[in-house]
Amino acid sequence: MRLFKTVHDFDYSWHTVSAAQWQKYPNPDCPHVQHVDVLDSSVDPETGVLRIERLISVNQKAPALILRAIGASSTQYVREVAIIDPKTKTMTLSSKNLTLSNILSCEESITYTQHPTIPEKTLFSHMIEDWSVQRFQQNALLGREAFSKVLERFVVLAEAKEEAATNASK
Amino acid sequence: MSSSIGTECTDLKQKYDTCFNKWYSEKFLKGDTTPECEDLFKDYKACVMVALKEKQIDTLLADARKESPFPPPSSSSNSEA
């Protein structure tokens, strides 16, 4: 598992930063993002918190051989849920890959909060958790170790059989 | 403005996006949570769901929602904003 975390502050108000989230794409710096679609949008009547679920279509540039080997197409999908609380001035975006989830799990979490002492600034926190093939690697390793033991036993048994056969023919 | 996964939905999407962006900055952030873009969202969402089904992403989505509700939507969800 790989964990990556970074914090930063922006010289913009939380209002501006949060509103800008909806206008990030298309972006020439992010040509891999092909489409962004809103799947659900609702305000909790009790808390006044807005929840938005989005689907992001990403063009994955990987060698064709690898794509074929893992049975993937060059377009991958990411599901993102954003929770926006205008009272506490907190916005959290959580995203996870929708496709290839049987091979890897990549979860990303971004939080924007108003700076505690400077209201014109916004704090940004970014975390990525990447479970790339780890489970597969672990299982593969276990499988390999287990099979090595089987092989060892097999070789010992085969040698013993051969020796017995040689002795018997003497 | 970004395009939609369903080419035929992009127009509907952009109409909804325009409404949403205005509502978000001028109403929601200022304390008024009354939904405004419901009708536009309904049309746009219906179109997207067809595209998702065609690309067979609808089942992936259903599974992902079950596995990670990510604070589940409120009971009054669906086309509120």
Side-chain angles (χ1 to χ4, degrees), chain A residues 8-70:
Chain A
H8 180 73
D9 58 76
F10 287 109
D11 286 331
Y12 295 97
S13 73
W14 180 83
H15 276 205
T16 304
V17 171
S18 77
Q21 291 309 301
W22 316 122
Q23 310 205 39
K24 264 164 60 174
Y25 307 109
N27 189 329
D29 294 325
C30 306
H32 59 290
V33 176
Q34 292 182 316
H35 315 290
V36 182
D37 280 290
V38 179
L39 303 176
D40 189 66
S41 180
S42 57
V43 177
D44 186 313
E46 280 174 30
T47 61
V49 172
L50 173 64
R51 179 187 183 272
I52 296 180
E53 185 187 33
R54 299 197 295 174
L55 182 77
I56 301 154
S57 307
V58 176
N59 192 33
Q60 199 66 30
K61 279 185 172 66
L65 195 67
I66 292 182
L67 290 179
R68 263 206 304 276
I70 58 174

Side-chain angles (χ1 to χ4, degrees), chain A residues 73-117:
Chain A
S73 84
S74 61
T75 302
Q76 297 304 320
Y77 302 103
V78 174
R79 173 180 171 246
E80 175 204 85
V81 175
I83 307 287
I84 309 105
D85 187 341
K87 292 198 200 90
T88 60
K89 293 196 169 58
T90 310
M91 179 187 210
T92 308
L93 300 121
S94 311
S95 66
K96 191 171 171 180
N97 59 306
L98 203 59
T99 42
L100 297 181
S101 53
N102 56 330
I103 295 175
L104 63 87
S105 163
C106 188
E107 282 188 53
E108 189 183 42
S109 179
I110 294 173
T111 307
Y112 294 106
T113 49
Q114 185 179 56
H115 194 283
T117 51

Side-chain angles (χ1 to χ4, degrees), chain B residues 5-6 15 19 30 36 41 43 45 47 68 73 75:
Chain B
I5 191 177
K15 282 195 180 81
C19 180
K30 297 190 176 162
E36 269 181 16
F41 186 59
D43 292 340
K45 186 177 170 173
C47 183
S68 328
S75 49

Side-chain angles (χ1 to χ4, degrees), chain A residues 139-160:
Chain A
N139 286 342
L141 187 65
L142 281 172
R144 271 207 308 276
E145 281 175 338
F147 190 61
S148 297
K149 290 200 175 88
V150 168
L151 281 172
E152 278 171 354
R153 267 203 313 270
F154 184 78
V155 165
V156 164
L157 282 172
E159 279 176 348

